[in-house]
Amino acid sequence: MTKLEFIDALGNELTSMPIEETKKVLEYYLESVDDRMDDGMTEEEAIEALGPIPELAQRALEEYRQENQILPVPKAPEPDVNVVFEGPEKRRMPVWAIVLLIIGSPVWLGIGLGIGGAALGIYISLWAILASLLFCAGVFIICGAIGAVASWFLTVSPTGIFGRVFAFGCCLALIGVGMLLLPAMLWLIRGFVSLHRWIFRKLRGGKKA
């Protein structure tokens, strides 16, 4: 407990005293806490050394009554009544609603399974498309590089030098397409994974809340 919490709790116990008297009591105990802290105690140890807050408040109120000759006000007798607090009544589903759910279960269960299956199929298809495009990008680069080299070293060429140049250009174009497609696919896959992480964090945060 800190000094602010201690003073706040003690002040709540002294609401029957005048404000000026309450301020004197609070200042006295604040000085007592500071003196103990100067002697080497921590804030919590100094507060605990003073004693329980209700006892401190009772002592201050008795001293105030003795100084001002004020008799304590007797408390009115409390009625011997046992009060039972009942929680809010839980709402139960009507019988007819339960019967309708059971009867209609083949319909809504089939619809739910159909929607879930379609969503799963779309999800798997997206991953398959991304994987196939990534594979195609790698194949374009590898095949283009092999073809570019082979176009100059093949001993048989039906069209001569022009055929070799044309084949070499086509292979370079294939490599270019693969190099453009590869980073784009990697970017899409990273974005797809980041979307999964965001959804997972949202679901985990909703469960904690």
Side-chain angles (χ1 to χ4, degrees):
M1 179 182 291
T2 63
K3 287 194 292 185
L4 291 177
E5 294 173 346
F6 170 73
I7 291 301
D8 184 59
L10 183 58
N12 291 333
E13 297 285 340
L14 300 175
T15 53
S16 59
M17 289 177 59
I19 297 177
E20 294 297 328
E21 296 296 329
T22 303
K23 287 175 63 177
K24 292 179 182 179
V25 174
L26 298 180
E27 289 174 357
Y28 168 75
Y29 282 112
L30 271 179
E31 292 177 0
S32 300
V33 172
D34 292 335
D35 292 339
R36 285 173 170 78
M37 291 177 65
D38 292 338
D39 293 336
M41 289 186 177
T42 63
E43 188 175 7
E44 293 183 357
E45 293 174 348
I47 293 171
E48 289 179 359
L50 294 176
I53 292 176
E55 293 182 6
L56 299 178
Q58 185 65 27
R59 191 185 310 158
L61 289 171
E62 289 177 357
E63 292 177 359
Y64 172 72
R65 293 191 186 105
Q66 290 176 2
E67 291 177 358
N68 295 274
Q69 297 180 354
I70 299 175
L71 297 176
V73 179
K75 292 184 178 180
E78 296 180 357
D80 188 11
V81 178
N82 293 327
V83 181
V84 179
F85 293 96
E86 297 182 356
E89 185 179 356
K90 295 182 179 179
R91 294 183 179 179
R92 296 182 179 179
M93 186 176 293
V95 178
W96 61 267
I98 297 175
V99 173
L100 286 178
L101 284 175
I102 295 173
I103 294 174
S105 59
V107 177
W108 58 260
L109 187 60
I111 294 174
L113 290 175
I115 294 174
L120 181 61
I122 294 172
Y123 176 78
I124 295 174
S125 299
L126 287 175
W127 274 114
I129 292 171
L130 291 175
S132 61
L133 290 176
L134 183 63
F135 178 76
C136 289
V139 170
F140 287 169
I141 294 173
I142 295 173
C143 293
I146 294 173
V149 174
S151 64
W152 293 104
F153 291 96
L154 288 177
T155 57
V156 179
S157 178
T159 57
I161 188 64
F162 297 104
R164 294 176 184 271
V165 172
F166 179 76
F168 182 75
C170 291
C171 292
L172 289 182
L174 195 63
I175 294 173
V177 172
M179 294 183 66
L180 290 175
L181 190 61
L182 182 62
M185 290 303 101
L186 292 176
W187 180 79
L188 285 175
I189 291 174
R190 284 197 298 267
F192 206 42
V193 172
S194 299
L195 178 63
H196 283 71
R197 292 176 180 172
W198 179 80
I199 294 173
F200 178 73
R201 285 197 298 268
K202 289 295 182 181
L203 292 175
R204 186 173 58 183
K207 289 181 179 179
K208 289 182 179 180

